[in-house]
Amino acid sequence: LYALVGTFSAWGLVLACHWAVGFGIFLGRYGRWNSWHLVTKPGLLAGAVQQALQNPLAIQLTLTYGFVLAGLYLAFYFYVRDAAPAVKR
């Protein structure tokens, strides 16, 4: 990914993915939506997403989940990077 978009953009994409995953966790946990609803009930899901984006609790939980996941990812990334033997990157 670094070679395709550069270091800064790659990390931005990783953080954006963590935010999206955090929002997905919120939709699944509190809205009781599942991935198949994207195909079976797209209109209802779109309405739920629109309402969730206006809900302060949804935004707060999305950011919380996203930051926790990003923190875990960073910790694992640095652990693997520092623990691995030197390889040509």
Side-chain angles (χ1 to χ4, degrees):
L1 192 57
Y2 293 133
L4 293 175
V5 297
T7 302
F8 184 75
S9 295
W11 280 108
L13 183 61
V14 167
L15 291 176
C17 287
H18 283 101
W19 173 81
V21 168
F23 190 66
I25 291 172
F26 171 81
L27 287 175
R29 180 73 180 111
Y30 294 96
R32 307 305 293 165
W33 292 98
N34 292 300
S35 58
W36 61 79
H37 288 125
L38 188 61
V39 175
T40 60
K41 299 178 182 178
L44 292 174
L45 180 59
V49 167
Q50 186 177 16
Q51 286 180 349
L53 290 174
Q54 297 171 3
N55 182 350
L57 178 63
I59 305 238
Q60 182 181 11
L61 289 173
T62 295
L63 291 174
T64 301
Y65 292 143
F67 283 128
V68 167
L69 291 171
L72 291 170
Y73 178 83
L74 284 171
F76 184 71
Y77 171 81
F78 288 122
Y79 172 76
V80 169
R81 186 190 71 174
D82 294 341
V87 292
K88 187 175 181 180
R89 294 181 185 171

